[in-house]
Amino acid sequence: MPTLARLSFFVLPAHLDDFAALYDRQLLPLLRPHGLKSGQSDDRPYVAGVFSRLFAVAYPAALLRLQQTLRLDPAWQSTLKNVGERLGAPLRYELSLYSTSAPGGKGVRAGNGQRQGPWHAFSVADGLGSPLVGALLWDRAGKLWLGTWEGLSCFDGAEITNYALADGLVGPRVRSLLEDRQGRLWVGTGGFIDHIGWGLSCFDGQEWTNYTEADGLAGNWVSSLAEDRQGRIWLATHQGVSCFDGERVQTDTTRDGLANDLSWAVRVDRQGTLWAGSSYGLTRFNGERFVRVPLGLEDDRTESVYSLLEDTQGRLWVGLRQGVGYLEGGRYTR
């Protein structure tokens, strides 16, 4: 499997044919000097308003240099502006890693860490890729995965292996992690404070496959991940909740019952019910749309739900801006 990059442009669907002609005449000639020839069509399901081309690159790190080169290329930026003006709207593009089977990950023997009372702490000095950790996952093989500010770290008890953009990740900062029933690792990227994100990566142990807004994701900032009984992957993003069935992406927003498009958490409970925590409330999915779940708080409609967890008794714990409580039998206790 070669390393592939995808160049995607977001235009109004009615202007796609006009853009395709402008791309061939004005944009493609600027890509050829950088080694990006004609490219091939994206074989994933079509997303309205997205024009994409795939290009083979030598290895993931080569794409990083190309991304920076285009950002600093005045001819490229000027042509983008001119094409957008001709189409009547600013032209947004995305150049990202599509897929790769290139060997990745740098392993080092883990340091001893430092014992502080009941805590045993590990840091960059012990092999972690970054001291800032935003996500944790204990997989079925007994490995600990850590989503950090500088990529992904995997600790097997003796060695720490770090994965970064140069290894296949779609983005540098890992915000959320999920192991699905097939044992694949799903990695949601995004800043820890801002809502800047890069999309979703899937790692099966050998290959990286990446997904972005060009595949229909509501947003590239992915704060939380969950798998339902049908094997679908649900994503909380800053622009709604997306559901990926392995081929196509469907997105729900406030028009579909979400409390707010800025979504922080998704969780599937043992009954198979999907819950979504957003700015300004908690909702659950009834199979067709999201329905608001009152928490009985004085500021119910302004309270943000940042995290969700089901305990062994089937209670749904809800992490709020100003505390924590649980939902049991339809009643919220704080």
Side-chain angles (χ1 to χ4, degrees):
M1 177 180 176
T3 296
L4 294 176
R6 177 171 60 183
L7 178 62
S8 301
F9 299 88
F10 300 84
V11 299
L12 293 174
H15 294 163
L16 272 178
D17 290 340
D18 293 335
F19 173 77
L22 291 170
Y23 169 82
D24 289 335
R25 291 200 309 266
Q26 298 189 34
L27 293 170
L28 186 56
L30 298 176
L31 295 172
R32 288 176 178 143
H34 300 296
L36 301 182
K37 303 290 176 67
S38 58
Q40 64 189 68
S41 298
D42 187 350
D43 58 359
R44 293 179 187 170
Y46 169 72
V47 175
V50 178
F51 176 95
S52 295
R53 290 291 183 268
L54 301 180
F55 299 91
V57 294
Y59 43 85
L63 177 62
L64 300 180
R65 292 194 292 269
L66 181 57
Q67 290 171 332
Q68 183 176 16
T69 298
L70 288 180
R71 283 196 298 267
L72 300 176
D73 185 345
W76 174 255
Q77 296 299 332
S78 175
T79 304
L80 285 177
K81 181 179 179 181
N82 292 337
V83 171
E85 289 175 350
R86 291 194 59 174
L87 297 177
L91 183 60
R92 182 167 68 94
Y93 82 96
E94 176 184 276
L95 177 61
S96 62
L97 188 66
Y98 185 79
S99 59
T100 184
S101 58
K106 181 180 180 181
V108 297
R109 182 162 185 79
N112 294 326
Q114 190 173 36
R115 174 71 68 176
Q116 297 178 355
W119 296 94
H120 199 122
F122 293 87
S123 67
V124 173
D126 300 298
L128 290 184
S130 168
L132 298 176
V133 179
L136 294 169
L137 173 71
W138 193 269
D139 71 14
R140 277 170 266 175
K143 296 179 180 179
L144 177 64
W145 294 86
L146 304 93
T148 81
W149 192 259
E150 298 293 342
L152 188 64
S153 294
C154 178
F155 181 40
D156 65 4
E159 188 175 82
I160 294 177
T161 303
N162 293 308
Y163 300 88
L165 281 168
D167 301 302
L169 276 175
V170 71
R173 298 168 189 165
V174 176
R175 189 76 169 74
S176 53
L177 295 169
L178 170 74
E179 183 185 25
D180 69 16
R181 62 187 64 184
Q182 299 180 49
R184 297 175 300 183
L185 181 69
W186 295 85
V187 184
T189 65
F192 297 173
I193 299 175
D194 55 37
H195 298 143
I196 297 174
W198 297 266
L200 177 69
S201 293
C202 179
F203 184 48
D204 65 3
Q206 300 294 324
E207 299 177 353
W208 291 91
T209 307
N210 297 327
Y211 304 91
T212 70
E213 291 179 15
D215 297 292
L217 298 186
N220 284 336
W221 183 79
V222 183
S223 60
S224 180
L225 296 162
E227 182 184 21
D228 66 16
R229 290 180 173 179
Q230 289 74 46
R232 298 175 298 185
I233 305 299
W234 292 83
L235 307 85
T237 84
H238 66 300
Q239 298 186 88
V241 172
S242 291
C243 176
F244 179 46
D245 65 6
E247 293 186 3
R248 296 183 181 277
V249 177
Q250 178 178 329
T251 292
D252 291 279
T253 65
T254 52
R255 293 172 297 183
D256 307 292
L258 276 182
N260 191 280
D261 288 343
L262 176 51
S263 300
W264 296 96
V266 285
R267 174 72 59 174
V268 176
D269 66 21
R270 65 185 64 182
Q271 302 301 321
T273 301
L274 172 73
W275 302 83
S278 307
S279 289
Y280 309 141
L282 175 68
T283 55
R284 63 175 177 80
F285 189 60
N286 66 9
E288 296 183 357
R289 60 182 288 110
F290 283 89
V291 179
R292 178 180 282 274
V293 179
L295 298 179
L297 304 175
E298 183 179 347
D299 52 354
D300 214 23
R301 289 189 172 271
T302 61
E303 182 65 85
S304 294
V305 176
Y306 292 118
S307 56
L308 298 167
L309 178 69
E310 185 181 23
D311 66 17
T312 57
Q313 300 179 48
R315 297 177 299 189
L316 183 71
W317 287 84
V318 182
L320 305 171
R321 184 178 56 218
Q322 299 183 22
V324 65
Y326 61 88
L327 195 66
E328 184 178 29
R331 181 178 179 180
Y332 179 75
T333 303
R334 190 171 183 175

